[in-house]
Amino acid sequence: MASSTALSPLTIRLCGPRGFCAGVDRAIQIVVLALKAYGAPVYVRHEIVHNRYVVEGLEAKGAIFVEELDEIPEEHHAQPVVFSAHGVPKSVPADAAARNLFYLDATCPLVSKVHKQAMRHQRLGRHVILIGHAGHPEVIGTMGQLPEGSVSLVETVEDADAYVPADPDNLGFVTQTTLSVDDTAGVIARLKERFPNLTAPAADSICYATTNRQEAVKQAAPGCDLFLVVGAPNSSNSRRLVEVALRAGAKKSLLVQRAAEIDWNELGEIRTVGLSAGASAPEVIVDEIIEAFRARYHTTVELADTVEETENFLVNRELRNIELTTADMAFVNGE
């Protein structure tokens, strides 16, 4: 390999906050601790978080991922099943109880807060508008908290224009936690314009981590020749970061899961690269990508920090007496 003096100079603007949020960290810890407490296998309904690397790391420890509870064999019904961080419809824990399954709910507390906000609207006689992406597990989970017909999904400003409620004066809204802050503000503004009596939730539904990561990308993106976001294609918050980077001034923005996905020949002449990671992307992959750039460029890393996150969510009561070590989480956090 050429010496560093022969390599082209490159600056990486490394966003902070980036990567795991408190809800994702908690969900992964729940699976790891369940494996320590109860032994393998531990079943997980749906991807615990939207990241293939994380899923494969947990599979290597003894987790088995299923889409539905009927996939769990009879002989393993005494083993725990974990519900993903995205939340589940009420029918899922009811189904688990009917099958005599022991379950641990890893729903992010901020998603649970949205569930409660939606249920409060409905309890007070309001029809609920959920702003979110159709088919996303979080949206399915939130809609599944309410009786059928009591919630309507709105995705875009065009949807807001077309929406015709039965009672325009008795509406409340909540949002998916991982949406674009700017896009969602536009949808809410249009709904309020059409329905002046629309009731907002008691607190903002878009979670702190989504907001913070988008704000950091907005600050770092101007002047970037390339902006890389580490995350999975099915990760809503990661895909929003790619869009935010482009809107904020990055010439090009890409979503990558691993360094191996970067097509180095297609990058062209780059001097400044922005780098962030979605809330379900582990720090070890951020490190991997920085090292891949170091191997090809004379690389300087600049920290582009906006706020410090101190949130920490406790794991389920059944797991709090189990020790969680640095080694237990090294597969995602590094040594």
Side-chain angles (χ1 to χ4, degrees):
M1 181 171 292
S3 69
S4 60
T5 54
L7 301 177
S8 299
L10 180 80
T11 299
I12 294 178
R13 294 179 186 166
L14 182 60
C15 288
R18 66 182 176 276
F20 284 177
C21 61
V24 163
D25 208 28
R26 172 181 178 269
I28 296 167
Q29 288 177 17
I30 288 170
V31 180
V32 170
L33 289 170
L35 284 161
K36 290 185 80 168
Y38 304 104
V42 165
Y43 286 85
V44 185
R45 185 188 178 277
H46 190 66
E47 289 187 339
I48 186 69
V49 297
H50 283 158
N51 189 277
R52 176 47 44 188
Y53 181 94
V54 171
V55 167
E56 289 174 355
L58 291 171
E59 284 175 336
K61 290 177 177 287
I64 296 175
F65 289 81
V66 296
E67 285 304 309
E68 299 300 340
L69 299 181
D70 61 11
E71 297 173 50
I72 301 173
E74 191 78 37
E75 64 269 23
H76 287 161
H77 275 203
Q79 290 297 107
V81 55
V82 180
F83 300 153
S84 84
H86 310 100
V88 294
K90 282 185 174 178
S91 58
V92 173
D95 184 25
R99 296 174 186 274
N100 292 317
L101 292 169
F102 166 46
Y103 65 85
L104 296 164
D105 191 353
T107 300
C108 172
L110 298 181
V111 173
S112 296
K113 183 183 80 171
V114 174
H115 291 177
K116 288 170 186 163
Q117 291 169 341
M119 288 188 285
R120 182 173 187 274
H121 280 320
Q122 197 258 336
R123 190 170 66 250
L124 293 173
R126 302 175 191 132
H127 185 82
V128 179
I129 299 173
L130 170 59
I131 302 167
H133 296 301
H136 189 280
E138 185 186 323
V139 166
I140 293 168
T142 300
M143 293 182 81
Q145 305 305 308
L146 303 170
E148 195 167 343
S150 61
V151 56
S152 298
L153 182 65
V154 169
E155 295 195 59
T156 62
V157 172
E158 290 73 24
D159 289 348
D161 279 331
Y163 178 58
V164 181
D167 183 355
D169 292 323
N170 224 0
L171 300 169
F173 78 87
V174 294
T175 81
Q176 186 179 331
T177 62
T178 55
L179 300 178
S180 159
V181 175
D182 293 339
D183 286 350
T184 306
V187 175
I188 293 170
R190 185 69 186 110
L191 286 168
K192 285 181 174 176
E193 191 180 315
R194 292 194 61 214
F195 312 114
N197 292 329
L198 178 69
T199 303
D204 194 356
S205 299
I206 296 178
C207 82
Y208 78 92
T210 298
T211 304
N212 289 349
R213 278 149 192 72
Q214 289 180 21
E215 194 55 42
V217 168
K218 281 183 193 176
Q219 298 293 322
C224 284
D225 303 304
L226 171 68
F227 205 104
L228 291 179
V229 175
V230 182
N234 60 341
S235 165
S236 174
N237 77 88
S238 300
R239 290 172 62 185
R240 301 296 79 78
L241 293 179
V242 175
E243 297 165 1
V244 168
L246 285 173
R247 287 183 190 171
K251 291 178 186 172
K252 186 176 183 180
S253 186
L254 298 172
L255 183 68
V256 293
Q257 297 188 79
R258 302 292 301 270
E261 288 186 10
I262 300 171
D263 188 341
W264 302 97
N265 297 322
E266 289 291 314
L267 297 188
E269 189 174 331
I270 53 173
R271 294 280 182 144
T272 306
V273 173
L275 180 59
S276 186
S280 47
E283 186 66 9
V284 288
I285 300 180
V286 174
D287 294 340
E288 172 188 285
I289 286 172
I290 291 172
E291 289 310 307
F293 274 102
R294 288 193 194 280
R296 293 164 174 86
Y297 298 87
H298 184 55
T299 303
T300 303
V301 177
E302 293 181 353
L303 298 181
D305 292 338
T306 50
V307 297
E308 183 182 353
E309 292 178 349
T310 56
E311 284 80 4
N312 179 50
F313 298 144
L314 290 174
V315 299
N316 311 64
R317 197 177 304 279
E318 299 94 326
L319 302 173
R320 289 179 196 167
N321 64 340
I322 309 297
E323 184 187 9
L324 185 74
T325 67
T326 303
D328 290 331
M329 297 293 285
F331 75 108
V332 286
N333 295 337
E335 298 300 334

